[in-house]
Amino acid sequence: MAIQQFDNELTILRTNLSEDNTPITGDLSSAKIVLATLNSKYIHSSLGLRYLYANLKELQPYCEVKEFVIQTRPLDIVEQILASKPTIVGFGVYIWNIIETTNVVSLLKVIAPEVIIVLGGPEVSYESETQAIVQDADYVLTGEADISFYELSKAIINNDLPKTKVIKSSPVDLKTLSMPYQYYSDEDLKNRLLYVEASRGCPFKCEFCLSSLDTKSNPYALTPFLEQMETLYQRGARNFKFIDRTFNLDIKTSLQIMQFFLDRMTDDLYLHFEVVPDHLPRKLKEMLALFPENTLQFEIGIQTFDQTVQTNISRKQNNDKSKENLIWLKENTTAHIHADLIFGLPGETLETFKDSFDQLYACKPHEIQMGILKRLKGSPIIRHTENFDLRFNPLPPFNILSTDRVDFATMQLVNRFARYWDMIGNSGRFKHTLDYLLADKPFDNFMAMGNWIFEQTGQTHKINLKRLFELISQAVISLFPTQHDIVLQQLERDYIASGLKSIFNTLNLYPGQRKQSVKPSKLLQRQKQHMS
């Protein structure tokens, strides 16, 4: 098959490739479609690919889904894709896999230039013309491609090739979509997170998020959706991660879904929801209180408590109500509460962020996810670039590097804070120690300890757990010596609970107590093995 040529200037055209009743006139005997993506971990599964597969209609028998992880070598991925002898390969492209997918696509075009490569996903749906991966691909489908991928594949097989490279998908009517849940395999049910959605879109306009481009939240018809959940449940599925942006927006629907799972409660059932923090009516509270321990996880986006910053990013949030609901959830349910903050938003300073962190910590969520602002392509946050001097990393993950209020050095300090917080604050390993460690200045105290650890180790990764206990003790006696005795008692409790085998009192708990043993250099180890 000849390589399709395009003008250098890419044109965007709204999809109208074929009507559903257009017959396949091309040669199906040689047609083969591969739908592929690179997940960040094996435990993740691609709901998007399964939607595309579910809506391929008469082309479905000629398609297979291949999921990889970003750690796999691009050459090995290409080898596995080409083993299926595809004529069309569709890739789902996201911020977390753009680099690896670009490498795979580039290799595919060198090794098998006759294969038609189609890209879709949020990372290529905006600013498409500037991206290297788009230059290598044959077609790009922007927006929701559930139907447009079928239409494009049909056109390619019929040799009725579009004249434009970047094709804007028409809006999707959820009532017409075939649901994808039957295409989760038994292995998926056993070993992977199952992503499900009861609605698409978001009515809120938070400018850092691509969902701000939606006009509203569109629900699926509830009865057929719950029928699909019942089928998954009967097949043995027990881990459901809802990707709805605002699960508790329509309380009536939320209650019906929660009741569905409550009626099927087992010891191993686990549900994950993203909820709006300031919208927790009485009836929903009553329902949530009925769920047993280790059943619910709530992801709750706070992002900032600063009202000026909230105004800058068009975020509407009742801060007092949000804090009240967080505290209520912690005190009256057994749900695991994962609350999000974002550093680097326009107008945010280190002081305003510190205030948000301290307020959120006082609400006692189980985890505080410290996010750094990222420039998602298409998100309206870029309108602030000049006024707030937003400077983003030009490479994935496109994180903020500095603003007019936060210089690069400070941004690096908060990046390290976030990493240490994940190791210590979010890990659950130091639940007895943490309150004594942070005392009445959570952000300041943890920042000081993180800076001390970094000065001693130069590391924010690969610090083993035993060493982490030692570093915390040493940091406290160096920074807050009057607190060391009480912190040491709590550290010992957490150490015993960790299951580490060595005795707590044998650790290097004091600065300079004992030098670490020096391991022999491994520089010549390989050469010595040949000589032995």
Side-chain angles (χ1 to χ4, degrees):
M1 184 181 294
I3 302 176
Q4 186 75 14
Q5 300 296 322
F6 299 93
D7 295 334
N8 290 331
E9 183 177 356
L10 302 178
T11 304
I12 298 180
L13 177 73
R14 185 172 290 280
T15 307
N16 189 16
L17 295 168
S18 68
E19 299 298 331
D20 288 350
N21 58 0
T22 302
I24 296 288
T25 58
D27 183 11
L28 273 176
S29 63
S30 60
K32 183 59 182 291
I33 302 169
V34 170
L35 286 167
T37 198
L38 282 66
N39 298 320
S40 58
K41 297 179 181 178
Y42 171 76
I43 194 173
H44 300 154
S45 57
S46 175
L47 181 60
L49 290 193
R50 286 166 177 80
Y51 262 110
L52 297 181
Y53 183 80
N55 289 279
L56 273 177
K57 302 179 183 180
E58 73 271 24
L59 296 181
Q60 195 180 82
Y62 305 94
C63 177
E64 62 180 304
V65 174
K66 288 181 176 288
E67 296 182 85
F68 305 94
V69 291
I70 57 176
Q71 294 80 11
T72 306
R73 292 195 318 158
L75 271 174
D76 294 335
I77 293 173
V78 170
E79 181 182 13
Q80 292 183 56
I81 289 173
L82 291 180
S84 297
K85 297 181 170 42
T87 52
I88 303 170
V89 181
F91 285 99
V93 189
Y94 302 86
I95 193 171
W96 63 80
N97 70 13
I98 178 65
I99 292 178
E100 295 81 3
T101 309
T102 299
N103 293 336
V104 169
V105 169
S106 179
L107 283 170
L108 265 175
K109 272 304 177 185
V110 171
I111 299 168
E114 71 282 0
V115 174
I116 300 294
I117 294 178
V118 181
L119 307 177
E123 191 58 27
V124 293
S125 286
Y126 304 92
E127 304 173 34
S128 308
E129 295 87 344
T130 62
Q131 300 187 54
I133 192 172
V134 173
Q135 299 301 325
D136 284 336
D138 294 286
Y139 298 102
V140 179
L141 293 171
T142 70
E144 296 173 290
D146 310 75
I147 302 301
S148 60
F149 181 77
Y150 160 73
E151 294 173 338
L152 177 57
S153 298
K154 199 172 179 180
I156 292 170
I157 293 169
N158 283 344
N159 201 31
D160 183 19
L161 301 178
K163 296 178 181 179
T164 53
K165 186 172 191 174
V166 181
I167 302 167
K168 186 175 182 179
S169 302
S170 296
V172 172
D173 182 354
L174 299 185
K175 295 177 183 177
T176 68
L177 281 186
S178 296
M179 290 189 179
Y181 302 111
Q182 62 180 303
Y183 302 114
Y184 281 123
S185 68
D186 291 341
E187 182 182 350
D188 295 333
L189 269 61
K190 183 179 179 181
N191 298 314
R192 287 174 153 172
L193 289 172
L194 300 187
Y195 296 95
V196 300
E197 59 177 3
S199 64
R200 280 192 190 180
C202 180
F204 301 108
K205 300 299 176 185
C206 309
E207 295 178 14
F208 56 83
C209 179
L210 276 177
S211 294
S212 62
L213 303 178
D214 299 330
T215 56
K216 60 180 180 179
S217 176
N218 298 306
Y220 287 86
L222 188 58
T223 298
F225 172 76
L226 291 179
E227 288 173 352
Q228 292 288 317
M229 297 303 98
E230 174 68 16
T231 300
L232 283 176
Y233 183 88
Q234 293 301 328
R235 290 179 59 200
R238 293 296 183 269
N239 196 323
F240 297 82
K241 184 167 184 177
F242 281 73
I243 63 173
D244 306 53
R245 288 293 185 185
T246 50
F247 176 75
N248 59 326
L249 189 64
D250 183 339
I251 295 300
K252 182 179 178 181
T253 298
S254 302
L255 289 172
Q256 289 180 269
I257 292 174
M258 301 294 279
Q259 187 65 56
F260 171 87
F261 286 107
L262 194 59
D263 291 342
R264 291 157 180 79
M265 184 54 57
T266 58
D267 292 340
D268 54 351
L269 183 64
Y270 196 75
L271 309 171
H272 178 286
F273 301 103
E274 185 171 341
V275 299
V276 182
D278 54 8
H279 186 55
L280 220 63
R282 178 183 57 81
K283 287 187 177 180
L284 184 57
K285 286 182 175 180
E286 292 173 353
M287 176 74 74
L288 296 177
L290 298 176
F291 279 79
E293 193 172 1
N294 299 322
T295 302
L296 296 177
Q297 175 166 322
F298 292 146
E299 185 171 343
I300 302 175
I302 296 298
Q303 319 315 354
T304 180
F305 282 123
D306 187 89
Q307 293 182 348
T308 300
V309 177
Q310 289 171 344
T311 300
N312 289 342
I313 60 173
S314 306
R315 182 174 178 83
K316 296 180 179 180
Q317 178 173 284
N318 184 324
N319 290 334
D320 290 339
K321 195 67 176 177
S322 295
K323 288 184 282 188
E324 178 187 319
N325 286 339
L326 280 168
I327 293 170
W328 185 92
L329 286 169
K330 183 68 185 294
E331 294 179 349
N332 295 278
T333 76
T334 59
H336 184 88
I337 303 167
H338 178 129
D340 297 336
L341 289 176
I342 296 178
F343 185 65
L345 293 167
E348 190 85 83
T349 66
L350 185 64
E351 285 300 311
T352 60
F353 185 78
K354 177 180 77 172
D355 184 58
S356 289
F357 182 91
D358 288 348
Q359 289 186 61
L360 183 55
Y361 184 78
C363 298
K364 300 301 180 185
H366 298 91
E367 296 184 43
I368 298 176
Q369 180 63 45
M370 292 271 295
I372 305 298
L373 178 65
K374 296 178 178 62
R375 183 186 178 277
L376 301 178
K377 289 181 175 63
S379 61
I381 198 78
I382 60 172
R383 76 182 181 91
H384 298 294
T385 299
E386 184 175 346
N387 289 341
F388 291 94
D389 193 20
L390 305 182
R391 303 191 184 191
F392 291 94
N393 190 340
L395 302 174
F398 311 114
N399 50 297
I400 190 77
L401 299 176
S402 66
T403 74
D404 64 334
R405 317 291 170 93
V406 182
D407 61 20
F408 176 69
T410 303
M411 197 69 71
Q412 288 295 92
L413 285 177
V414 177
N415 268 287
R416 286 195 286 272
F417 181 111
R419 177 56 191 155
Y420 289 132
W421 181 258
D422 209 39
M423 284 193 289
I424 298 171
N426 287 342
S427 68
R429 298 282 196 181
F430 301 91
K431 61 184 181 182
H432 296 109
T433 305
L434 206 57
D435 279 345
Y436 293 92
L437 189 65
L438 304 187
D440 59 346
K441 296 180 179 179
F443 186 89
D444 285 340
N445 287 358
F446 197 84
M447 176 66 84
M449 188 183 70
N451 291 343
W452 189 93
I453 292 175
F454 188 72
E455 288 173 3
Q456 303 302 310
T457 66
Q459 294 176 274
T460 58
H461 295 77
K462 297 182 179 179
I463 301 176
N464 68 51
L465 185 57
K466 177 182 174 182
R467 177 69 174 138
L468 197 54
F469 274 96
E470 294 176 334
L471 288 168
I472 291 172
S473 175
Q474 293 173 23
V476 172
I477 200 169
S478 298
L479 299 168
F480 320 113
T482 60
Q483 290 293 106
H484 188 250
D485 286 345
I486 185 64
V487 169
L488 201 63
Q489 294 175 25
Q490 305 309 317
L491 263 181
E492 185 170 12
R493 292 178 66 189
D494 287 328
Y495 187 83
I496 293 170
S498 75
L500 290 170
K501 294 182 180 179
S502 52
I503 298 173
F504 181 72
N505 289 333
T506 65
L507 302 184
N508 297 339
L509 299 172
Y510 299 87
Q513 176 183 350
R514 188 188 311 154
K515 291 184 178 180
Q516 295 293 309
S517 60
V518 179
K519 295 183 179 180
S521 172
K522 294 184 178 180
L523 186 61
L524 299 178
Q525 182 175 338
R526 182 171 178 176
Q527 289 84 341
K528 289 179 180 179
Q529 287 175 339
H530 283 281
M531 297 172 65
S532 60

